Amino acid sequence: MILDVISVSKANCKNCYRCVRHCPVKAIKVVGGQAEVVDSLCIYCGRCVIECPQNAKKIRNDLHAVKEFINAGEKVVASIAPSYPAVFDVTSPQEMFSILKALGFYGAEETAVGAEMVSMEYQHLIKKGQKGPIITTACPVVKNLVEKYYPGLIRNLAPVVSPMVAHARSLKQRYGLDIKVVFIGPCIAKKAEALDRSVLGNVDAVLTFQELADWIDEKASAVAGVDFGERENVLEPFIARSYPLPGGLLKTSSMEDDLLSREVVVVDGMEDCMELLDALERGSVSGRLFEMMACRGGCINGPSMPCDSSLYERRERLLSFIENNQQQQGYEDIKASAAGIDLRRSFEPKAFKAPRPTESEIREILASIGKTTPEKELNCGACGYPSCRKKAEAVYRGMAEPDMCIPYMRSRAESLANLIIDHTPNGIILVDSNLNIKEINRAAEKMFGVEKEQVQGKPLSTVIDDRDFAWVLANKTNLQDKKVNYPRNFLTTLQTICYIEEEDLVLAIIQDITEQEKQRMELERVREETLEKAQEVINRQMRVAQEIAGLLGETTAESKMLLLKLIELVKGREENEGLC
Ligand code: SF4
Ligand code: SF4
């Protein structure tokens, strides 16, 4: 079953591998530079959600489903985890129940009631002499950890349901099987636990405290005017409100006095839990009962606690709440209610058999990222894996990509950058704020007839005129495309000089335009020569034209004279004939 409890927003995931680094079981796959949570490997500890600086990890939101239950007229009953006083500003359970009712819940009770029942079951186990070591199973992350990564210890898991499931069963027994039970708590793993095959159908939806806080904000006006009313006729926990704290389960089960402290081990925090499970697997610890909580400091430090207060402030708030709401009775009612409920469950191995690479396959993967000798295996952890070999194994399993190796990618990028700088035909000179040369590339060495080793660290003025650089440095303004001649080097250049503010450096890109300049001047000379020649031709043409025009003018005048004379002659002859 795909649970989709945690998804990743592709737009937000920025390829930083922070989630991989913090995932205790490396259940995050990186494909195309994007992180993905692999359901079959994930234990839902929520660390990747907390650690992602880009908020790319999203927890499945079940608020919509719960609102739909309410809108459809279902009887929806809330089971609220005992860590709520650490985060919501309420002074009594009744205040919390009234808020939940204002949101539309039919009823509400504390999950700590289920915790009382579970503790009774633990007492039975111990009394019956169940052979240790017994691992408590109230924390679903620890249960997931054992099922997926320590299958050899499954037989050590106490075959008892969690307080959430015990309470849901109790609520359905008392309110009717047709009600919808919504668990509300600080834990992401509960969303997966509700869908676990062996307890499926008990809890109908799971909200985190964050989802509840968002809902309360949304309905702020309805919640603000809520009347806290009379104390409800509900089951109230007797001593189990301390369940969210390390040692709370054992205290509630009255086992502190029954067992020698050497036999009872309480651990909180993922690393300590894993260390203890490793030791249990090796058979090197002899305790009898092991209370384990994945979150450091217990559930009050769960992954979905919507508050900024410190762990110790939350602890303080919870302890004050417990003190101010002491119950003197109720234990017998809970005991009676628990009598008719099945509090047992089973567990199944869910370990994923990962393909194992051979030594030569690991070497091949390491070599592909330049790690050809053991000295080149830096084991820096930047990729998220504790060693280069572990990362190579992850690449083999398709969980990681070779280019997640940051030192390798950086040196590759640097060598590519150096390659570009060294092969560009433009001269590049970098100077510091004292105008001493920091870098000079091959093209610039050639242009100015120097060698990097000789001039690095020396004043720029020993190589070229540094006045433009000094001007850029003083004015913190770039100089763009300035033509500069270096007669001593027979060079004409086009220079762009930039100020690099973050580093207080000046960078010059010098383009050798000597050849273009020569060509330009040659063209200029040819152009002028052509113009001169053209002018000469024009002048000559003009002269010829004028001469032709002169000749044409003379002959035209002569023709005109001759014709006039001819006309006169003709006219004179006609007159003479008329007289005769
Ligand atoms: S929830 Fe925990 S186990 Fe799952 S991917 Fe995130 S860090 Fe890993
Ligand atoms: S310690 Fe509590 S909040 Fe944390 S994972 Fe376990 S049950 Fe959830």
Side-chain angles (χ1 to χ4, degrees):
M1 183 189 296
I2 295 172
L3 303 176
D4 253 350
V5 174
I6 302 168
S7 56
V8 183
S9 149
K10 288 208 183 310
N12 290 14
C13 177
K14 299 290 183 230
N15 210 0
C16 68
Y17 317 132
R18 190 177 167 94
C19 56
V20 182
R21 275 195 289 283
H22 285 272
C23 176
V25 291
K26 305 296 171 233
I28 293 171
K29 180 176 179 173
V30 177
V31 187
Q34 294 278 315
E36 262 174 38
V37 174
V38 179
D39 249 331
S40 58
L41 301 176
C42 180
I43 53 172
Y44 308 109
C45 66
R47 274 212 192 164
C48 56
V49 179
I50 299 167
E51 292 295 339
C52 177
Q54 300 297 322
N55 290 325
K57 304 278 184 310
K58 305 284 173 220
I59 304 167
R60 195 190 65 219
N61 193 318
D62 294 325
L63 206 47
H64 183 67
V66 174
K67 286 179 182 173
E68 272 193 354
F69 288 153
I70 292 172
N71 293 339
E74 305 270 11
K75 277 187 188 169
V76 187
V77 181
S79 167
I80 187 148
S83 44
Y84 72 89
V87 60
F88 293 102
D89 192 17
V90 289
T91 57
S92 71
Q94 186 53 41
E95 280 185 39
M96 194 71 235
F97 299 160
S98 304
I99 291 170
L100 291 168
K101 283 191 160 182
L103 295 174
F105 283 96
Y106 172 78
E109 242 182 48
E110 292 170 272
T111 318
V113 169
E116 299 277 8
M117 296 174 177
V118 165
S119 296
M120 292 170 194
E121 197 60 24
Y122 275 98
Q123 281 172 345
H124 287 154
L125 272 184
I126 302 293
K127 280 199 187 119
K128 262 176 47 195
Q130 164 136 352
K131 296 256 178 336
I134 301 169
I135 301 168
T136 59
T137 53
C139 174
V141 173
V142 171
K143 180 222 89 152
N144 292 339
L145 193 59
V146 173
E147 282 186 327
K148 292 186 178 181
Y149 296 94
Y150 298 88
L153 296 176
I154 287 180
R155 63 176 182 279
N156 298 99
L157 288 174
V160 180
V161 294
S162 68
M164 172 183 85
V165 173
H167 192 220
R169 287 181 181 171
S170 164
L171 287 171
K172 289 201 171 177
Q173 184 202 51
R174 285 178 282 132
Y175 285 81
L177 287 175
D178 58 336
I179 64 161
K180 298 287 181 200
V181 174
V182 176
F183 172 79
I184 308 168
C187 188
I188 295 172
K190 292 288 183 192
K191 287 190 186 260
E193 186 193 346
L195 298 173
D196 195 311
R197 229 186 344 219
S198 64
V199 295
L200 191 65
N202 294 293
V203 179
D204 299 283
V206 172
L207 295 182
T208 61
F209 280 158
Q210 182 62 60
E211 285 165 274
L212 177 62
D214 292 344
W215 196 3
I216 291 173
D217 280 351
E218 190 188 307
K219 294 271 181 184
S221 54
V223 171
V226 73
D227 173 12
F228 295 136
E230 291 296 302
R231 201 181 145 111
E232 305 246 342
N233 187 21
V234 293
L235 288 181
E236 284 211 45
F238 185 62
I239 48 171
R241 286 195 178 116
S242 60
Y243 238 71
L245 300 173
L249 185 150
L250 296 179
K251 184 176 191 300
T252 310
S253 310
S254 316
M255 282 187 266
E256 272 174 325
D257 304 330
D258 296 345
L259 298 168
L260 292 175
S261 60
R262 195 168 160 264
E263 290 203 287
V264 176
V265 180
V266 176
V267 288
D268 58 304
M270 187 61 76
E271 281 70 27
D272 285 358
C273 286
M274 290 176 87
E275 212 174 284
L276 179 56
L277 290 171
D278 285 337
L280 282 171
E281 226 175 22
R282 290 193 299 270
S284 56
V285 279
S286 59
R288 185 157 173 219
L289 193 74
F290 297 85
E291 185 193 311
M292 294 194 205
M293 298 178 108
C295 297
R296 186 181 65 86
C299 302
I300 55 166
N301 202 23
S304 195
M305 293 291 274
C307 61
D308 300 326
S309 52
S310 71
L311 170 64
Y312 303 100
E313 287 162 329
R314 281 177 242 164
R315 187 172 184 276
E316 189 67 33
R317 285 179 64 150
L318 178 63
L319 290 174
S320 306
F321 183 91
I322 294 172
E323 213 172 276
N324 298 334
N325 291 280
Q326 294 276 14
Q327 268 295 108
Q328 299 310 324
Q329 57 219 11
Y331 186 73
E332 288 308 318
D333 293 340
I334 293 176
K335 200 172 170 185
S337 176
I341 299 168
D342 180 9
L343 295 170
R344 294 298 182 108
R345 65 158 294 173
S346 57
F347 303 95
E348 52 181 319
K350 292 177 183 162
F352 172 73
K353 289 248 176 312
R356 294 189 74 81
T358 61
E359 182 59 25
S360 71
E361 282 166 332
I362 291 183
R363 288 240 180 87
E364 199 180 314
I365 293 168
L366 287 171
S368 75
I369 50 170
K371 306 203 181 298
T372 44
T373 59
E375 298 75 54
K376 289 184 178 166
E377 292 173 29
L378 304 182
N379 302 324
C380 65
C383 58
Y385 288 87
S387 68
C388 299
R389 289 180 73 83
K390 288 272 175 223
K391 147 87 179 348
E393 287 174 22
V395 171
Y396 180 82
R397 293 197 308 271
M399 292 294 288
E401 295 180 322
D403 61 12
M404 284 165 69
C405 177
I406 293 168
Y408 168 70
M409 289 307 281
R410 194 179 52 211
S411 73
R412 194 163 157 231
E414 274 169 8
S415 62
L416 280 177
N418 288 341
L419 206 70
I420 293 167
I421 289 170
D422 274 345
H423 287 81
T424 177
N426 295 330
I428 294 175
I429 299 179
L430 187 70
V431 297
D432 62 19
S433 55
N434 295 317
L435 296 180
N436 290 328
I437 297 172
K438 274 183 80 72
E439 273 302 331
I440 180 165
N441 75 340
R442 277 192 208 156
E445 284 178 305
K446 207 166 142 204
M447 281 178 194
F448 302 111
V450 293
E451 277 179 20
K452 186 173 171 175
E453 289 70 31
Q454 296 165 345
V455 296
Q456 208 164 27
K458 301 264 167 57
L460 176 66
S461 57
T462 60
V463 178
I464 53 171
D465 185 349
D466 65 357
R467 278 174 297 180
D468 284 341
F469 287 71
W471 184 89
V472 168
L473 192 63
N475 295 288
K476 301 190 181 350
T477 307
N478 298 346
L479 206 59
Q480 197 88 28
D481 290 339
K482 183 180 174 188
K483 196 199 278 186
V484 181
N485 285 312
Y486 294 99
R488 216 174 62 192
N489 306 91
F490 309 104
L491 267 183
T492 304
T493 63
L494 204 58
Q495 297 188 353
T496 293
I497 307 180
C498 316
Y499 176 64
I500 305 171
E501 196 173 351
E502 308 83 62
E503 312 287 337
D504 200 20
L505 296 173
V506 176
L507 174 80
I509 300 167
I510 304 167
Q511 190 186 353
D512 181 356
I513 56 164
T514 313
E515 274 311 307
Q516 290 100 304
E517 270 300 283
K518 273 188 197 156
Q519 281 171 12
R520 193 186 61 76
M521 284 166 74
E522 181 62 17
L523 267 175
E524 188 70 15
R525 192 186 58 73
V526 170
R527 195 178 68 87
E528 273 170 18
E529 243 180 56
T530 311
L531 278 177
E532 250 172 52
K533 290 267 185 259
Q535 195 60 50
E536 246 176 57
V537 171
I538 290 167
N539 292 346
R540 208 177 307 135
Q541 286 295 93
M542 286 302 292
R543 273 199 308 277
V544 172
Q546 276 167 0
E547 279 169 16
I548 292 169
L551 282 172
L552 271 176
E554 269 175 34
T555 51
T556 310
E558 277 172 14
S559 304
K560 187 181 169 189
M561 290 290 292
L562 282 172
L563 285 171
L564 285 173
K565 272 188 186 160
L566 193 62
I567 291 165
E568 274 170 23
L569 275 174
V570 173
K571 273 187 181 172
R573 196 172 159 184
E574 279 174 355
E575 279 168 10
N576 289 339
E577 280 172 359
L579 287 174
C580 290

